[in-house]
Amino acid sequence: MDPVAVFLLSAAGILLVGALGELVFRRTGFPDVLWLMLGGFCLGPWLGVATPSALDPAVPYFASLALAVVVFETGSRCRIAELAGPHRRAAVLGILAFASSVLAVAAVAMLAVTMHWLPADWDWRRALLLGAILGGASSTVFLPALLRARVDLKAASVASLESATGETLAIVAACALAVPGPVRAFGSALAIGIIAGLVWLLFLKTVRATNHAYSITLGLLLCLSVGVERAGGVPAMAVLGAALVLGNAPAISRGLKLNDVLDLGEDVRGYHSQLAFLIKAFFFVFLGTRLGPPWGPVAIGAGLAVVALAARRPAVALVTGEGSPVAASRPVLNACMPRGLGAGVLGALAWSRWVPGDPALPGLVAGCVFASVALFAVVFPLSTRAVETAPSSAIGPAPAVAAPSPLPVAPSPVVPPPVMAEDLWATPVPTPPPPPRPAPAPVPPAPAWVPPAIPPRPPSMAPLTARPAAPKPVVSAPARPEEIIAVAPADPDIKPGSGFRW
């Protein structure tokens, strides 16, 4: 078949699988990511249509575009005022969960190196890089499931903000471990991104009036990424700095005391969601093509998903302790651990540009993403049932209720003692009569009430209760023909003092 036809059919299949996956998720709650990755497995290792050797040349280009989109989405969702204010628990949870996951994954990776399951050239830096890639949970996987299950809105908000914090830290840590000279490169790139975001903030109101606001914004972000990379900086950090400014535009405009409160707007976010869907569909299918031989790294990646789930529990238990408003939702927060698009994009950049030629890294990332999503699909329904059936004592102490006031008790009637059999034959003893009571003083009778006399009405007056009779209408009978007399016409004769007559 013509290669162009194969490409078009593959693209159509990917889009249809992505759309059908969302429909199946709405009906069954089964994540669509698994269907996309299984579709990639069918196209790659099973059918041999999309082999890794054929896709590797396009990975750096597609991964760079996907990274810009993922970083923009992650940075625009990170509300600094909320993380520093009422949702600081989410920020603490994101930091603790990310740190524990990175350390646990890196330790298991080095253990696998000592057991000769991974290449011998792996060191702690590469193990920490793998931990940073797989350290952040993906809200694009678990947030639709949270909204579908109608869990507590506070728990859903904490999980979403924790995911934004974790994915931001994953991008920063992965770039720091992969790019040499991270302090200078990071500082300059972040400063350039923040300045570019502030400058673009001034033109945001004018750009939103057009129909291409998102296209212009994304194009400028890509130009910013290329310019920073040419200057020796980290392009992801520049995009992240601009995204943080644009995502927090309302708070920044109020802080700068601007006349208009600026915001990205729902139209910009709507276009971004459509582009994110396309990139998600293609990239998860691409990850599915990596679920093939050698199977050793894929199996180790599946084990790393279990390690990430176990490493998350202490952080969740620490944040949702006694007095936490989301203490009852602890099982749900424990289950919000699937890795998604961010881990896949960082992994693709790692094996295509940062550490090229690593034979184990693609299988580790693909196996961990697939196993973590499958594990979430199994654990999340159990956690929601545990929250629904949890006793009230697990949620917190019951509020004190005032004791009800005692009701008046009616006096119990005096019941005479029962008559025994021997009392029937006993001789009756006369009971002395009670002393006479003094007679009460006579009370004079009250005078009888006599109604007042009503004077008689004159006979000519009708009684008060009678109503005047309505006058009967006088109806004259119609004249018969013989009674009609013709009268000759005459002029009216009107004289002073006389009546009017014809």
Side-chain angles (χ1 to χ4, degrees), residues 231-321:
V234 181
M237 293 305 300
V239 177
L240 180 62
L244 288 174
V245 173
L246 295 178
N248 295 271
I252 294 176
S253 59
R254 285 192 294 266
L256 296 177
K257 297 181 180 180
L258 299 178
N259 294 331
D260 298 329
V261 178
L262 303 177
D263 192 9
L264 284 177
E266 295 298 329
D267 50 350
V268 176
R269 300 183 188 276
Y271 287 115
H272 177 74
S273 64
Q274 295 295 326
L275 181 60
F277 168 75
L278 295 176
I279 291 180
K280 181 186 76 170
F282 279 91
F283 214 90
F284 279 123
V285 171
F286 167 73
L287 281 180
T289 60
R290 299 292 176 168
L291 293 174
W295 293 103
V298 177
I300 296 175
L304 292 178
V306 180
V307 172
L309 176 63
R312 178 184 177 82
R313 297 179 67 88
V316 175
L318 182 62
V319 174
T320 60

Side-chain angles (χ1 to χ4, degrees), residues 379-419:
V379 174
F380 180 72
L382 300 178
S383 63
T384 53
R385 293 194 190 100
V387 171
E388 292 174 357
T389 58
S392 59
S393 59
I395 301 177
V401 180
S405 57
L407 298 175
V409 181
S412 57
V414 179
V415 181
V419 180

Side-chain angles (χ1 to χ4, degrees), residues 49-467:
V49 176
T51 59
S53 60
L55 296 176
D56 282 343
V59 170
Y61 307 98
F62 190 60
S64 300
L65 176 61
L67 180 64
V69 175
V70 170
V71 171
F72 179 75
E73 181 180 5
T74 303
S76 61
R77 287 193 301 110
C78 191
R79 301 290 189 270
I80 299 177
E82 294 181 0
L83 293 177
H87 295 90
R88 56 183 177 272
R89 290 180 180 269
V92 174
L93 177 59
I95 296 172
L96 294 179
F98 173 77
S100 59
S101 299
V102 170
L103 296 178
V105 169
V108 173
M110 292 306 297
L111 179 62
V113 171
T114 58
M115 299 182 69
H116 305 287
W117 293 346
L118 291 178
D121 59 347
W122 273 56
D123 53 0
W124 275 101
R125 182 173 183 176
R126 190 169 298 187
L128 290 174
L129 175 60
L130 177 63
I133 292 172
L134 302 176
S138 177
S139 62
T140 58
V141 179
F142 67 77
L143 190 58
L146 292 180
L147 299 178
R148 181 178 180 273
R150 298 180 181 179
V151 299
D152 186 11
L153 293 180
K154 293 181 180 179
S157 177
V158 168
S160 177
L161 293 176
E162 179 254 331
S163 171
T165 305
E167 288 186 332
T168 303
L169 293 176
I171 295 169
V172 174
C175 294
L177 292 169
V179 180
V183 177
R184 179 182 59 83
F186 270 58
S188 59
L190 188 62
I192 293 174
I194 292 176
I195 294 173
L198 291 175
V199 172
W200 187 242
L201 191 63
L202 301 177
F203 298 94
L204 188 60
K205 183 179 179 180
T206 304
V207 172
R208 281 184 54 189
T210 66
N211 296 327
H212 308 288
Y214 178 70
S215 301
I216 298 174
T217 303
L218 183 60
L220 291 177
L221 288 178
L222 294 178
C223 293
L224 176 65
S225 175
V226 174
V228 170
E229 187 176 13
R230 296 284 293 177
V234 181
M237 293 305 300
V239 177
L240 180 62
L244 288 174
V245 173
L246 295 178
N248 295 271
I252 294 176
S253 59
R254 285 192 294 266
L256 296 177
K257 297 181 180 180
L258 299 178
N259 294 331
D260 298 329
V261 178
L262 303 177
D263 192 9
L264 284 177
E266 295 298 329
D267 50 350
V268 176
R269 300 183 188 276
Y271 287 115
H272 177 74
S273 64
Q274 295 295 326
L275 181 60
F277 168 75
L278 295 176
I279 291 180
K280 181 186 76 170
F282 279 91
F283 214 90
F284 279 123
V285 171
F286 167 73
L287 281 180
T289 60
R290 299 292 176 168
L291 293 174
W295 293 103
V298 177
I300 296 175
L304 292 178
V306 180
V307 172
L309 176 63
R312 178 184 177 82
R313 297 179 67 88
V316 175
L318 182 62
V319 174
T320 60
E322 185 179 357
S324 174
V326 293
S329 302
R330 182 182 302 174
V332 174
L333 294 178
N334 283 328
C336 295
M337 47 70 62
R339 273 49 181 169
L341 188 59
V345 171
L346 292 175
L349 285 175
W351 74 66
S352 63
R353 300 185 63 181
W354 296 339
V355 283
D358 194 320
L361 194 57
L364 290 172
V365 175
C368 183
V369 171
F370 183 83
S372 63
V373 177
L375 193 61
F376 170 76
V378 175
V379 174
F380 180 72
L382 300 178
S383 63
T384 53
R385 293 194 190 100
V387 171
E388 292 174 357
T389 58
S392 59
S393 59
I395 301 177
V401 180
S405 57
L407 298 175
V409 181
S412 57
V414 179
V415 181
V419 180
M420 309 301 294
E422 57 271 14
D423 294 338
L424 298 175
W425 304 100
T427 304
V429 179
T431 302
R437 296 181 179 181
V443 179
W449 180 80
V450 179
I454 300 176
R457 298 177 61 84
S460 60
M461 295 181 63
L464 293 175
T465 57
R467 294 184 179 180

